[in-house]
Amino acid sequence: MNKRNAELTFKPNLRLGRHGWLRLTPAYSVKLVNDFLDQHPEVRRVLEPFCGTGTTALVCAQRGIACDALEINPFLVWLARAKTTNYPIAELKTTRSIASDAARCAGAMTQTRVWTPPIANIERWWREDRLLFLARLRQSILDRCPTESKTYDLLMVAFCRLLIECSNATFNHQSMSFKQEQAGLFDSQESSVLARRYTQIADEIISSAEEPIPGHARIERGDARHTPAGDAPYDAIITSPPYPNRMSYIRELRPYMYWMGFLSEAREAAELDWQAIGGTWGAATSRLQTWTPNGEAIHVDGFNDMIQCITRHSALLANYVHKYFVDISQHLASARDALAPGASVFYVVGNSKFYDTLVPVETLYAEILERLGFVNVAITPLRKRNSKKELLEFAVSGRKPG
Ligand SMILES: C[S@@+](CC[C@H](N)C(=O)[O-])C[C@H]1O[C@@H](n2cnc3c(N)ncnc32)[C@H](O)[C@@H]1O
């Protein structure tokens, strides 16, 4: 495997209507979900235990397939619900005119005492004039529609797009940095540029919201370690869980979450990262120092040796990897019980490397699935993840005995 296969990443999703509403790295490829469903025409009820931005849920709903999805992050629950909802055309017409009215009024507002989110060092994120425009725009949207409305959802998705477009932050896969900005044009010029851009983004989002969605996606906040049984057993799991690569989804999502009111202080972000599988940011790191498996063993040959090898360099990272697999084993066991006999599973996972120890994530998933009684378990390499030749993405698939 030496191909990067960009068509199997989230990038092509950006051109696919609702899938492209926000550019977030947790997303995986629409093509992977469609290919799986093409090969399994019998699937009518899907479980997506790690919903993220809602890729699986939206593809299923677009194909008329029922999908229940779980997600631990409340912002992603909100976003995935907004992406999978049907919007009546008359409501979209009103939303379009509210969008341009809100942008125009925000541009003309002179009020300087407007709410801004409690983000530490906010001036690093947005130049002063842009921050003021964003704050006025948010206020202007809130003045025009209730927060529990489809109009609010669409206008805030557009707002999220704008806030990241005009921020100084640059997101790479695992890191984030701030661009150095020169002083702004300031005053009305900058705000009219932003007002125009907001109207453009909102127009684009509202146009793609016109697409009728034939299937029903039910997206709930929940923990995949305790997968609830649905109304009826599922025919398939299609998902991409977090990988044990120390990527924190909260880090990237923080700016949206503060603006949307899902976070009000740093402590909450750290707490959410600790609840997330593979989370490692802020206080989550110090909690890992004292974590113990508490009798939860991973019965896979070579697992303990691998943990020992990582421990030689870092007991913290060894705990990180160990906890990841304890969490994933809990998830897989609970998910099995929610599946119908004969159901298929499809997990897109990436391996990782700590010092000189390769963590064969795909093999570990496959072995845990086999231990849980799944049959026809197979590993398919999908693509190279970055310039390191040994870091790959795989599909791990299998079937619950019928
Ligand atoms: C790789 S992303 C999923 C991406 C998704 N397929 C998409 O296209 O957007 C993994 C997701 O799992 C979520 N997550 C982490 N721990 C979880 C848990 N215990 N229960 C449910 N969701 C969890 C994270 O918040 C993240 O959104």
Side-chain angles (χ1 to χ4, degrees):
M1 164 74 34
N2 51 16
K3 286 227 201 97
R4 298 288 277 270
N5 285 345
E7 81 277 10
L8 298 185
T9 69
F10 70 94
K11 288 182 186 148
N13 300 0
L14 302 176
R15 297 189 301 271
L16 297 175
R18 292 173 182 234
H19 287 285
W21 280 3
L22 271 188
R23 181 193 194 283
L24 294 172
T25 44
Y28 73 163
S29 143
V30 168
K31 180 174 172 5
L32 285 174
V33 183
N34 269 322
D35 288 353
F36 175 87
L37 289 169
D38 289 345
Q39 286 155 20
H40 295 84
E42 73 286 1
V43 168
R44 300 314 308 154
R45 279 181 58 76
V46 169
L47 170 66
E48 160 54 293
F50 300 98
C51 173
T53 64
T55 309
T56 306
L58 180 53
V59 172
C60 288
Q62 286 171 323
R63 296 174 66 126
I65 295 170
C67 177
D68 285 356
L70 290 177
E71 171 55 54
I72 206 130
N73 185 311
F75 167 73
L76 293 174
V77 171
W78 168 79
L79 177 65
R81 282 182 181 159
K83 281 166 78 176
T84 51
T85 297
N86 272 305
Y87 294 91
I89 296 294
E91 212 166 326
L92 291 178
K93 214 171 147 201
T94 318
T95 305
R96 214 182 280 275
S97 72
I98 295 180
S100 57
D101 189 41
R104 195 174 32 78
C105 290
M109 241 188 226
T110 50
Q111 201 182 336
T112 47
R113 288 179 65 84
V114 262
W115 180 88
T116 53
I119 298 178
N121 299 323
I122 198 163
E123 67 288 349
R124 284 207 301 165
W125 286 85
W126 294 277
R127 223 169 55 191
E128 197 183 348
D129 52 348
R130 293 181 179 167
L131 179 61
L132 187 58
F133 177 80
L134 287 172
R136 287 169 172 168
L137 177 59
R138 173 188 164 276
Q139 187 56 53
S140 207
I141 294 170
L142 287 174
D143 290 344
R144 285 167 176 75
C145 54
T147 52
E148 295 296 319
S149 66
K150 294 185 177 190
T151 295
Y152 170 83
D153 289 345
L154 291 174
L155 296 187
M156 288 310 280
V157 173
F159 178 81
C160 286
R161 251 254 306 265
L162 181 71
L163 76 85
I164 218 64
E165 260 188 39
C166 73
S167 90
N168 296 331
T170 326
F171 291 97
N172 299 315
H173 183 54
Q174 290 196 334
S175 59
M176 197 207 85
S177 53
F178 290 101
K179 299 191 276 270
Q180 281 296 333
E181 268 287 355
Q182 308 98 353
L185 298 170
F186 222 78
D187 62 42
S188 56
Q189 261 201 47
E190 182 70 8
S191 55
S192 54
V193 171
L194 291 180
R196 262 202 313 279
R197 180 63 192 138
Y198 177 74
T199 316
Q200 237 173 28
I201 298 173
D203 255 1
E204 202 184 289
I205 288 172
I206 295 165
S207 298
S208 46
E210 285 171 5
E211 170 203 2
I213 303 286
H216 178 63
R218 188 169 65 174
I219 293 141
E220 297 295 340
R221 183 151 188 223
D223 188 337
R225 282 166 289 207
H226 310 287
T227 312
D231 299 337
Y234 300 100
D235 310 321
I237 289 178
I238 310 173
T239 194
S240 151
Y243 309 161
N245 62 356
R246 307 202 62 212
M247 156 144 179
S248 164
Y249 296 107
I250 299 293
R251 257 174 98 218
E252 175 176 346
L253 300 176
R254 247 176 335 153
Y256 308 108
M257 294 181 73
Y258 274 106
W259 277 102
M260 297 281 309
F262 288 113
L263 284 179
S264 52
E265 51 179 321
R267 198 176 41 82
E268 293 168 355
E271 183 56 38
L272 199 52
D273 213 31
W274 176 245
Q275 286 168 28
I277 297 179
T280 165
W281 190 56
T285 306
S286 56
R287 284 158 91 168
L288 268 176
Q289 310 263 18
T290 52
W291 177 86
T292 58
N294 232 340
E296 300 254 14
I298 307 295
H299 300 285
V300 172
D301 284 349
F303 183 81
N304 290 333
D305 294 341
M306 179 189 80
I307 295 295
Q308 281 310 316
C309 286
I310 303 174
T311 308
R312 270 189 239 125
H313 297 275
S314 161
L316 178 73
L317 287 180
N319 271 2
Y320 171 75
V321 175
H322 200 157
K323 179 173 187 301
Y324 173 86
F325 282 102
V326 167
D327 286 344
I328 285 299
S329 299
Q330 264 178 24
H331 155 65
L332 291 172
S334 71
R336 177 193 55 185
D337 299 340
L339 292 174
S344 309
V345 296
F346 182 76
Y347 283 79
V348 174
V349 299
N351 60 2
S352 50
K353 192 171 182 183
F354 293 92
Y355 307 99
D356 47 0
T357 306
L358 189 72
V359 180
V361 178
E362 72 290 1
T363 312
L364 290 161
Y365 268 73
E367 294 194 13
I368 297 168
L369 283 171
E370 276 172 350
R371 278 202 150 257
L372 288 168
F374 284 82
V375 294
N376 300 348
V377 175
I379 298 172
T380 314
L382 296 174
R383 65 178 190 99
K384 251 175 81 171
R385 292 225 307 281
N386 55 31
S387 54
K388 290 194 188 144
K389 67 175 185 321
E390 68 275 34
L391 291 189
L392 304 178
E393 204 161 72
F394 303 86
V396 181
S397 54
R399 197 167 55 75
K400 182 168 166 171

